[in-house]
Amino acid sequence: MRLRCPSDLVKARKLIRSRYDPKKTCVTVCCGTGCLASGARDVAETFRKEIDRRGLRPRVNLRITGCHGFCERGPLVVIYPKRIFYQRVKVLDVDEILSQTILKRKIIERLLYVDPMTGKKIVYENEVPFYKKQRRLIFGNNGRIDPTKISYYIALDGYTALAKVLYKMSPQQVIAEIKRSGLRGRGGAGFPTGQKWELCRNANSRLKYIICNADEGDPGAFMDRSLLEGNPHSVLEGMIIGAYAMGAEEGYIYVRNEYPLAIKHLTIALKEAQEWGLLGKNILGSNFSFRIRINRGAGAFVCGEESALIASLEGRIGEPRPRPPFPAQEGLWGKPTNINNVKTWANIPLIINKGARWYSKIGTKTSKGTMVFSLVGKINNTGLVEIPMGISLRKMIYEIGGGIPNGKKFKAVQTGGPSGGCIPARLIDLPVDYEKLTRAGSMMGSGGMVVMDEDTCMVNVARYFLSFTRDESCGKCTPCREGIKQMYEILDNITKGKGKESDLGLLKELAQIVKDSSLCGLGQTAPNPVLTTLRYFPEEYLAHIKDKRCPAHVCQDLIRYSLIVEKCIGCQICNKACPTGAISGEKKEPQRIDQKKCIRCGACYEACKFEAIRVE
Amino acid sequence: MRKIDRIIKRHKKKGALVPLLQDVMAEYGYLPQRTIERISQELDIPLSQVYSLATFYKSFSLTPRGKYLISVCLGTACHVRGAPRIVEKLERDLGIRAGETTKDSKFTLETVNCLGACALGPLVVIDGKYFGRINLSRLDEVLKDYLK
Ligand SMILES: Cc1cc2nc3c(=O)[nH]c(=O)nc-3n(C[C@H](O)[C@H](O)[C@H](O)COP(=O)(O)O)c2cc1C
Ligand code: FES
């Protein structure tokens, strides 16, 4: 089907909706990356087979969707129209779901989610606290759409914003609208999007490019991936609108190589959009033409930085270059280029449809709209969370995230990935917006949010991020290449108990130099994890240095495992678990650990069922 | 050499080296030296330039992979949940370091960043199969099946 004008789109939507009976039962199975890893593919396949075998096709639809966000409880199954919510569903549950819930309308208690706060079982998806407290403007459709079929997106008003823009708005009006909305980039730095578009619009060149940055380098975040996998057309629509506003005829999506499913869904989406006349020549019958190509990254964190990304697209090694000239002046192949993050693009159709005024009412004074975080680490409800800017960390972590597992104490939260910092527990009422996070020494970043509890060693975390940035530094500029390495060495020494008090001053000095004099954002932000942990957790550094002690019992050179004789019953499980033969003793007698042989791998500690092994 | 020539031909017009090398990786599992030389000749690009790309990007490998690829996630979420000890154990048990392949070409051990399944962390993927919420003793059991 090729749409030749906006009314074709309206007609197509009507047709799609008329074929779809909203009262018909529909089983949706989340097949986002998290649920797939928990076995969702087999669950979905079993549903398909069983529905066929029982001849239920006329009564029941099956829909495979992208990530719903509540990865912790996956595989997730939601049954429409009532949105009955089943979690941790296994292949063996499928039969019962069909025979009980679908055919007899009986709820299977065992598969319901139990709210840990109240102990109550929850039947419907919209009543699950994890979802209820969110505002899912960008992510909400993930659970409803089959991302491999454009018709689902169109049925949910997809591409209306594009039609409006092409036929009712001038490029300048689009840019003015985006500026008024207050949208800021979701890729890290938070630059005002409308302003960036205007720069590119005003650049004098016939050829221009736009790029979608889907390199998602933050090693603990997967929201861009889930959006591309679950709702690729929302990103495409944003890009097409942007291209119209800036006057670009060609666009690229730079996807991280490790995201095969996102690449697959994008490829299908591009093909379908093309077939429907929403991409390519004379989009929706207008005289605007635009095409998009997908480019796979090759595995380099620095390629998320815009000038390195451009170098990589041009087939060179991904080394950043000094700016100015900015990409809006001289970008891909020397032409004006605009780069935005996946989520930034996905916000565009929303703003056009609902209007800048509506959009700018969401959020805080300087940070508008919603932000999607991947909430991970030591948290009960790992998953993707979309909240209006400005809500507090407390709300994110306790009300949505469900708090810290195993009754442990919350210690810090890390945002912004390797470029960000650790925010301590005492700042838990900090509202999440660009300025507040930056002032706390961290940054919004692209949406990684890693929760840490009392068992996390902050020195070790700082060292972890530095080992990451050290490995990922492209090596072009000296402060970043050498400075990060030296900082890493110092931290490594501290975690090994070889640190000196004077190291802390040196560390701060080095951090400042690397921050001030590095060529690109990688080096300029790499010291943040060190600086924030030094600022908020100095006592932890001192414990490592002065007392040769790791308070969180993480740094292996500073801990010691020993047996609590009164608790040991001599079951010898630890003895068997020990890889170096450091544990000895008679059966049914308390065991002993030979400290010389012990490599502190923690196997005995994990194996002991009687808490008879102590770390100190 | 036929396979490599076909891949080169596909990319020759655009001369895009990164996608070309990605296709070679997909075909051979690594970048054999002869293919790199061939690319340099055919596209008239200095050998050093091909090597600079092949060594800059992490997804390119100059050595063949083992039969089973073991990937341990060292993303931040998995890291705070104890992934480093999982890597240490694998290094110890297999007698290799992360990034290396065992002498019998059976296992390649690599560390990766965030696999998007942080809820399951720490996470190990062996031969495409996910083993979530892994600990040292469960890893022992899982490995047994592959060491046989
Ligand atoms: C080292 C480094 C890595 C980056 N990685 C990403 C990334 O993975 N995804 C992203 O969207 N932006 C990343 N950025 C930010 C981009 O350079 C750029 O600012 C962003 O894509 C602009 O889009 P926005 O205005 O929509 O945020 C990175 C920056 C640096 C310095
Ligand atoms: S950090 Fe390991 S899967 Fe995300």
Side-chain angles (χ1 to χ4, degrees):
Chain A
M1 179 160 5
R2 199 176 167 83
L3 310 174
R4 290 170 206 285
C5 59
S7 62
D8 277 1
L9 178 66
V10 176
K11 273 184 239 156
R13 178 170 303 123
K14 266 201 190 125
L15 188 69
I16 297 167
R17 283 187 185 161
S18 71
R19 285 193 201 140
Y20 173 76
D21 174 6
K23 289 200 205 92
K24 186 173 167 184
T25 305
C26 179
V27 177
T28 62
V29 183
C30 174
C31 280
T33 313
C35 283
L36 282 179
S38 329
R41 178 71 67 209
D42 290 341
V43 172
E45 275 315 307
T46 313
F47 265 115
R48 191 189 305 284
K49 273 194 217 127
E50 281 298 305
I51 289 174
D52 276 349
R53 194 179 64 81
R54 292 161 178 255
L56 287 174
R57 272 275 187 91
R59 288 177 57 188
V60 183
N61 284 341
L62 174 68
R63 191 179 305 160
I64 307 230
T65 72
C67 179
H68 296 189
F70 202 3
C71 312
E72 185 69 41
R73 310 306 305 180
L76 303 175
V77 170
V78 181
I79 302 166
Y80 283 75
K82 287 202 174 146
R83 291 169 71 183
I84 297 167
F85 180 74
Y86 286 153
Q87 42 99 50
R88 299 251 165 111
V89 177
K90 296 193 190 59
V91 168
L92 289 174
D93 299 321
V94 170
D95 194 63
E96 199 179 338
I97 294 178
L98 287 173
S99 62
Q100 297 300 314
T101 308
I102 307 277
L103 292 176
K104 295 193 194 139
R105 297 176 191 279
K106 272 201 202 134
I107 300 292
I108 305 167
E109 298 268 325
R110 160 173 56 90
L111 297 175
L112 294 178
Y113 174 69
V114 183
D115 180 356
M117 299 286 175
T118 59
K120 269 211 327 235
K121 285 190 172 154
I122 292 170
V123 180
Y124 302 107
E125 187 186 30
N126 45 331
E127 286 167 8
V128 175
F130 175 80
Y131 291 118
K132 214 160 80 182
K133 305 257 159 84
Q134 296 187 42
R135 182 137 191 219
R136 294 161 56 91
L137 300 177
I138 305 296
F139 250 83
N141 283 342
N142 260 32
R144 277 179 247 162
I145 282 182
D146 176 343
T148 61
K149 297 197 180 71
I150 193 172
S151 52
Y152 286 100
Y153 184 66
I154 289 181
L156 292 173
D157 290 328
Y159 290 107
T160 1
L162 177 63
K164 177 172 171 189
V165 159
L166 288 179
Y167 283 90
K168 296 203 182 116
M169 291 171 88
S170 69
Q172 288 78 4
Q173 281 173 320
V174 177
I175 290 176
E177 189 76 1
I178 301 301
K179 273 173 99 174
R180 256 199 309 276
S181 75
L183 174 66
R184 295 170 68 175
R186 302 290 195 248
F191 195 82
T193 305
Q195 217 171 312
K196 208 153 103 174
W197 286 20
E198 192 166 49
L199 281 176
C200 186
R201 166 93 217 159
N202 293 339
N204 196 2
S205 166
R206 200 182 59 77
L207 270 179
K208 284 175 193 170
Y209 298 101
I210 62 167
I211 298 172
C212 171
N213 189 345
D215 200 40
E216 195 158 64
D218 177 354
F222 53 101
M223 45 293 141
D224 293 0
R225 160 191 205 142
S226 298
L227 195 56
L228 291 175
E229 287 176 1
N231 194 355
H233 285 287
S234 67
V235 181
L236 297 189
E237 188 178 1
M239 286 181 75
I240 305 169
I241 294 171
Y244 170 76
M246 285 174 266
E249 284 179 16
E250 232 174 284
Y252 288 87
I253 304 178
Y254 189 92
V255 192
R256 194 169 142 193
N257 188 46
E258 291 89 337
Y259 290 1
L261 192 63
I263 294 171
K264 186 174 153 203
H265 288 180
L266 270 175
T267 310
I268 296 172
L270 284 181
K271 190 164 159 281
E272 283 199 299
Q274 200 113 23
E275 285 164 4
W276 284 61
L278 296 160
L279 251 183
K281 277 219 154 58
N282 300 99
I283 294 175
L284 276 174
S286 70
N287 50 24
F288 171 64
S289 304
F290 177 61
R291 61 175 185 173
I292 298 179
R293 291 212 188 101
I294 301 173
N295 217 284
R296 281 183 295 151
F301 172 64
V302 71
C303 286
E305 196 278 336
E306 49 191 24
S307 64
L309 189 153
I310 289 173
S312 172
L313 267 180
E314 291 174 351
R316 293 182 283 124
I317 59 171
E319 279 180 354
R321 60 159 175 78
R323 297 167 305 171
F326 290 97
Q329 304 154 313
E330 255 176 64
L332 188 61
W333 317 115
K335 304 292 177 210
T337 303
N338 178 75
I339 303 185
N340 278 123
N341 171 262
V342 175
K343 295 178 292 307
T344 314
W345 291 118
N347 268 290
I348 304 297
L350 189 72
I351 294 170
I352 299 292
N353 277 330
K354 303 245 185 174
R357 184 190 297 233
W358 172 84
Y359 188 87
S360 65
K361 281 195 188 127
I362 307 165
T364 64
K365 196 157 163 252
T366 55
S367 310
K368 302 295 184 191
T370 58
M371 180 67 188
V372 186
F373 285 101
S374 64
L375 187 61
V376 300
K378 304 284 188 71
I379 184 95
N380 273 319
N381 299 338
T382 297
L384 292 178
V385 170
E386 182 174 352
I387 45 114
M389 299 271 190
I391 81 167
S392 68
L393 286 169
R394 181 190 298 279
K395 209 164 169 181
M396 296 252 334
I397 291 166
Y398 285 97
E399 294 182 20
I400 298 172
I404 316 296
N406 308 322
K408 297 272 179 179
K409 242 173 58 202
F410 168 60
K411 184 168 183 180
V413 57
Q414 210 276 348
T415 67
S419 309
C422 293
I423 301 166
R426 66 184 150 88
L427 294 183
I428 192 163
D429 288 308
L430 194 76
V432 175
D433 84 357
Y434 289 96
E435 276 67 30
K436 298 274 168 29
L437 288 175
T438 306
R439 218 170 300 146
S442 185
M443 64 189 271
M444 180 73 82
S446 84
M449 186 169 273
V450 187
V451 180
M452 298 165 185
D453 69 1
E454 55 189 301
D455 291 343
T456 315
C457 167
M458 302 317 282
V459 186
N460 182 279
V461 164
R463 189 185 83 159
Y464 162 77
F465 280 116
L466 281 192
S467 80
F468 179 85
T469 36
R470 178 200 59 187
D471 292 348
E472 294 294 341
S473 167
C474 76
K476 184 168 172 173
C477 76
T478 319
C480 171
R481 183 185 64 234
E482 297 302 327
I484 296 178
K485 197 162 135 206
Q486 293 310 321
M487 285 196 286
Y488 174 83
E489 300 285 330
I490 296 174
L491 280 176
D492 195 48
N493 272 335
I494 295 178
T495 58
K496 294 202 165 111
K498 295 186 217 148
K500 301 186 290 286
E501 245 174 286
S502 59
D503 282 349
L504 297 184
L506 187 59
L507 209 48
K508 274 187 204 152
E509 194 186 331
L510 259 172
Q512 205 54 48
I513 294 172
V514 174
K515 217 173 153 79
D516 293 341
S517 55
S518 289
L519 170 63
C520 85
L522 193 153
Q524 289 158 11
T525 56
N528 286 347
V530 182
L531 287 171
T532 46
T533 46
L534 274 172
R535 172 168 157 197
Y536 296 121
F537 302 95
E539 70 291 344
E540 215 165 313
Y541 278 87
L542 288 175
H544 283 76
I545 294 172
K546 280 209 213 146
D547 315 340
K548 310 292 172 207
R549 194 170 60 81
C550 173
H553 304 318
V554 174
C555 299
Q556 277 165 331
D557 292 295
L558 304 181
I559 54 173
R560 208 182 107 107
Y561 290 95
S562 61
L563 263 142
I564 307 170
V565 179
E566 305 82 61
K567 284 193 178 170
C568 180
I569 61 153
C571 69
Q572 292 193 318
I573 285 187
C574 57
N575 197 324
K576 292 193 194 87
C578 177
T580 60
I583 303 182
S584 59
E586 294 298 313
K587 214 175 165 95
K588 300 202 175 149
E589 295 286 327
Q591 308 289 300
R592 276 187 43 248
I593 300 180
D594 181 348
Q595 296 298 336
K596 282 207 196 79
K597 284 192 192 160
C598 176
I599 54 167
R600 301 174 194 93
C601 68
C604 56
Y605 183 74
E606 183 196 289
C608 181
K609 296 193 173 67
F610 303 94
E611 293 180 0
I613 290 170
R614 166 171 54 203
V615 215
E616 38 191 8
Chain B
M1 263 307 168
R2 249 177 296 146
K3 268 192 288 192
I4 178 66
D5 286 337
R6 233 179 296 132
I7 298 174
I8 293 177
K9 211 170 137 200
R10 213 171 352 173
H11 292 276
K12 201 161 183 175
K13 219 170 68 206
K14 277 191 271 160
L17 212 45
V18 175
L20 195 162
L21 293 179
Q22 280 169 335
D23 284 1
V24 177
M25 275 299 294
E27 182 68 45
Y28 296 86
Y30 73 113
L31 303 175
Q33 193 182 337
R34 58 200 159 85
T35 62
I36 293 191
E37 284 163 5
R38 186 85 179 168
I39 290 167
S40 150
Q41 269 167 14
E42 287 289 311
L43 298 181
D44 201 17
I45 296 174
L47 201 54
S48 62
Q49 197 183 328
V50 188
Y51 269 111
S52 92
L53 281 171
T55 51
F56 182 85
Y57 293 107
K58 261 193 310 272
S59 66
F60 299 138
S61 160
L62 297 174
T63 47
R65 284 211 167 130
K67 182 169 165 214
Y68 299 117
L69 176 64
I70 305 185
S71 318
V72 188
C73 180
L74 269 188
T76 320
C78 289
H79 183 268
V80 301
R81 290 190 183 182
R85 296 208 175 178
I86 304 289
V87 183
E88 279 162 24
K89 176 176 171 59
L90 285 163
E91 289 184 333
R92 221 168 31 235
D93 289 4
L94 301 173
I96 48 173
R97 309 272 313 206
E100 293 175 355
T101 301
T102 51
K103 276 212 187 74
D104 60 2
S105 296
K106 197 161 173 191
F107 298 102
T108 297
L109 178 64
E110 63 166 20
T111 60
V112 292
N113 295 319
C114 194
L115 293 160
C118 313
L120 300 179
L123 185 63
V124 175
V125 183
I126 305 179
D127 202 23
K129 230 174 128 189
Y130 284 74
F131 298 94
R133 301 191 182 98
I134 195 100
N135 58 26
L136 298 170
S137 58
R138 263 200 60 222
L139 186 58
D140 246 341
E141 273 161 44
V142 171
L143 271 185
K144 256 186 222 145
D145 288 343
Y146 289 90
L147 283 168
K148 264 190 273 193

